[in-house]
Short mmCIF file of all heavy atoms in Angstrom, two decimals:
data_model
loop_
_atom_site.label_atom_id
_atom_site.label_comp_id
_atom_site.label_asym_id
_atom_site.label_seq_id
_atom_site.Cartn_x
_atom_site.Cartn_y
_atom_site.Cartn_z
N ARG E 332 8.92 5.08 24.91
CA ARG E 332 10.15 5.86 25.04
C ARG E 332 9.82 7.35 25.15
O ARG E 332 10.55 8.13 25.79
CB ARG E 332 11.08 5.70 23.83
CG ARG E 332 11.59 4.33 23.63
CD ARG E 332 13.02 4.13 24.04
NE ARG E 332 13.96 5.18 23.75
CZ ARG E 332 15.13 5.37 24.35
NH1 ARG E 332 15.43 4.56 25.36
NH2 ARG E 332 15.93 6.31 24.01
N MET E 333 8.69 7.75 24.57
CA MET E 333 8.31 9.18 24.66
C MET E 333 7.48 9.47 25.90
O MET E 333 6.91 10.53 26.04
CB MET E 333 7.51 9.56 23.36
CG MET E 333 8.33 9.43 22.13
SD MET E 333 7.37 9.78 20.63
CE MET E 333 7.33 11.55 20.69
N GLY E 334 7.41 8.50 26.77
CA GLY E 334 6.75 8.70 28.10
C GLY E 334 5.36 8.15 28.21
O GLY E 334 4.73 8.27 29.29
N ALA E 335 4.80 7.55 27.17
CA ALA E 335 3.41 7.06 27.19
C ALA E 335 3.37 5.74 27.94
O ALA E 335 4.38 4.99 28.01
CB ALA E 335 2.89 6.87 25.78
N THR E 336 2.19 5.42 28.52
CA THR E 336 1.95 4.08 29.02
C THR E 336 1.07 3.37 28.00
O THR E 336 0.16 3.94 27.43
CB THR E 336 1.24 4.10 30.39
OG1 THR E 336 0.00 4.78 30.25
CG2 THR E 336 2.06 4.74 31.46
N VAL E 337 1.38 2.12 27.77
CA VAL E 337 0.64 1.35 26.76
C VAL E 337 0.18 0.04 27.40
O VAL E 337 1.01 -0.69 27.95
CB VAL E 337 1.53 1.04 25.55
CG1 VAL E 337 0.73 0.32 24.47
CG2 VAL E 337 2.15 2.30 24.94
N THR E 338 -1.10 -0.21 27.31
CA THR E 338 -1.62 -1.52 27.79
C THR E 338 -2.52 -2.10 26.68
O THR E 338 -3.02 -1.37 25.82
CB THR E 338 -2.42 -1.38 29.07
OG1 THR E 338 -3.35 -0.34 28.93
CG2 THR E 338 -1.54 -1.13 30.27
N ASN E 339 -2.70 -3.38 26.78
CA ASN E 339 -3.56 -4.09 25.82
C ASN E 339 -4.81 -4.53 26.63
O ASN E 339 -4.71 -5.38 27.48
CB ASN E 339 -2.77 -5.27 25.28
CG ASN E 339 -3.53 -6.06 24.25
OD1 ASN E 339 -4.79 -5.93 24.14
ND2 ASN E 339 -2.85 -6.88 23.45
N GLU E 340 -5.92 -3.87 26.38
CA GLU E 340 -7.12 -4.20 27.16
C GLU E 340 -8.27 -4.60 26.27
O GLU E 340 -8.73 -3.80 25.46
CB GLU E 340 -7.53 -2.93 27.97
CG GLU E 340 -6.50 -2.61 29.08
CD GLU E 340 -6.80 -1.31 29.81
OE1 GLU E 340 -7.97 -0.87 29.79
OE2 GLU E 340 -5.83 -0.73 30.32
N HIS E 341 -8.71 -5.83 26.43
CA HIS E 341 -9.87 -6.37 25.71
C HIS E 341 -9.75 -6.11 24.19
O HIS E 341 -10.71 -5.64 23.57
CB HIS E 341 -11.16 -5.75 26.25
CG HIS E 341 -11.32 -5.86 27.72
ND1 HIS E 341 -11.48 -7.08 28.37
CD2 HIS E 341 -11.19 -4.91 28.72
CE1 HIS E 341 -11.51 -6.87 29.66
NE2 HIS E 341 -11.33 -5.56 29.93
N GLY E 342 -8.62 -6.37 23.64
CA GLY E 342 -8.45 -6.23 22.19
C GLY E 342 -8.16 -4.81 21.73
O GLY E 342 -8.11 -4.54 20.53
N TYR E 343 -8.00 -3.93 22.72
CA TYR E 343 -7.67 -2.53 22.37
C TYR E 343 -6.32 -2.18 22.91
O TYR E 343 -5.91 -2.62 24.01
CB TYR E 343 -8.71 -1.55 22.97
CG TYR E 343 -9.94 -1.46 22.14
CD1 TYR E 343 -10.87 -2.51 22.14
CD2 TYR E 343 -10.22 -0.38 21.34
CE1 TYR E 343 -12.02 -2.49 21.37
CE2 TYR E 343 -11.38 -0.32 20.55
CZ TYR E 343 -12.26 -1.38 20.56
OH TYR E 343 -13.38 -1.33 19.82
N LEU E 344 -5.59 -1.40 22.13
CA LEU E 344 -4.33 -0.82 22.53
C LEU E 344 -4.72 0.52 23.24
O LEU E 344 -5.35 1.37 22.65
CB LEU E 344 -3.52 -0.50 21.31
CG LEU E 344 -2.01 -0.50 21.35
CD1 LEU E 344 -1.52 -1.83 21.81
CD2 LEU E 344 -1.52 -0.21 19.94
N VAL E 345 -4.41 0.56 24.56
CA VAL E 345 -4.80 1.78 25.34
C VAL E 345 -3.50 2.55 25.68
O VAL E 345 -2.62 2.02 26.36
CB VAL E 345 -5.55 1.40 26.58
CG1 VAL E 345 -5.95 2.64 27.41
CG2 VAL E 345 -6.82 0.62 26.20
N VAL E 346 -3.45 3.74 25.18
CA VAL E 346 -2.24 4.56 25.32
C VAL E 346 -2.53 5.85 26.04
O VAL E 346 -3.51 6.53 25.74
CB VAL E 346 -1.59 4.92 23.93
CG1 VAL E 346 -0.32 5.65 24.05
CG2 VAL E 346 -1.41 3.61 23.11
N HIS E 347 -1.70 6.18 27.03
CA HIS E 347 -1.86 7.46 27.73
C HIS E 347 -0.51 8.21 27.71
O HIS E 347 0.51 7.64 28.13
CB HIS E 347 -2.27 7.27 29.20
CG HIS E 347 -3.68 6.71 29.32
ND1 HIS E 347 -4.77 7.48 29.03
CD2 HIS E 347 -4.12 5.51 29.69
CE1 HIS E 347 -5.87 6.71 29.16
NE2 HIS E 347 -5.51 5.53 29.59
N ALA E 348 -0.55 9.46 27.31
CA ALA E 348 0.63 10.31 27.37
C ALA E 348 0.76 10.88 28.78
O ALA E 348 -0.24 10.94 29.50
CB ALA E 348 0.52 11.41 26.35
N PRO E 349 1.94 11.29 29.22
CA PRO E 349 2.08 11.99 30.50
C PRO E 349 1.19 13.25 30.48
O PRO E 349 0.87 13.76 29.41
CB PRO E 349 3.53 12.37 30.60
CG PRO E 349 4.25 11.59 29.53
CD PRO E 349 3.23 11.27 28.48
N THR E 350 0.86 13.74 31.68
CA THR E 350 -0.02 14.90 31.83
C THR E 350 0.40 16.08 30.91
O THR E 350 -0.42 16.76 30.30
CB THR E 350 -0.07 15.38 33.27
OG1 THR E 350 -0.08 14.23 34.11
CG2 THR E 350 -1.29 16.24 33.57
N ASN E 351 1.68 16.32 30.90
CA ASN E 351 2.12 17.50 30.10
C ASN E 351 2.50 17.11 28.67
O ASN E 351 3.15 17.90 27.98
CB ASN E 351 3.33 18.16 30.79
CG ASN E 351 2.91 18.77 32.11
OD1 ASN E 351 1.80 19.26 32.20
ND2 ASN E 351 3.79 18.70 33.08
N GLY E 352 2.10 15.93 28.23
CA GLY E 352 2.35 15.57 26.84
C GLY E 352 3.55 14.64 26.61
O GLY E 352 4.37 14.48 27.53
N LEU E 353 3.64 14.14 25.40
CA LEU E 353 4.78 13.25 25.07
C LEU E 353 6.08 14.05 25.09
O LEU E 353 6.10 15.27 24.85
CB LEU E 353 4.55 12.68 23.69
CG LEU E 353 3.34 11.70 23.54
CD1 LEU E 353 3.13 11.42 22.07
CD2 LEU E 353 3.60 10.40 24.32
N VAL E 354 7.15 13.33 25.40
CA VAL E 354 8.45 13.98 25.52
C VAL E 354 9.39 13.47 24.43
O VAL E 354 9.57 12.27 24.24
CB VAL E 354 9.07 13.64 26.88
CG1 VAL E 354 10.38 14.44 27.10
CG2 VAL E 354 8.10 13.96 28.05
N GLY E 355 9.98 14.40 23.68
CA GLY E 355 10.91 14.06 22.62
C GLY E 355 12.05 13.22 23.15
O GLY E 355 12.54 13.40 24.26
N THR E 356 12.52 12.27 22.31
CA THR E 356 13.59 11.36 22.72
C THR E 356 14.21 10.72 21.49
O THR E 356 13.80 11.00 20.38
CB THR E 356 13.02 10.27 23.65
OG1 THR E 356 14.11 9.44 24.10
CG2 THR E 356 12.00 9.38 22.92
N GLN E 357 15.22 9.90 21.71
CA GLN E 357 15.84 9.17 20.62
C GLN E 357 15.17 7.80 20.53
O GLN E 357 15.13 7.08 21.52
CB GLN E 357 17.34 9.03 20.92
CG GLN E 357 18.08 8.07 20.01
CD GLN E 357 18.96 8.84 18.99
OE1 GLN E 357 19.21 10.02 19.13
NE2 GLN E 357 19.41 8.11 17.96
#
Side-chain angles (χ1 to χ4, degrees):
R332 294 259 319 159
M333 298 176 77
T336 58
V337 182
T338 49
N339 182 342
E340 293 174 22
H341 309 292
Y343 280 73
L344 210 57
V345 179
V346 182
H347 292 290
T350 320
N351 294 325
L353 294 169
V354 186
T356 183
Q357 170 104 15

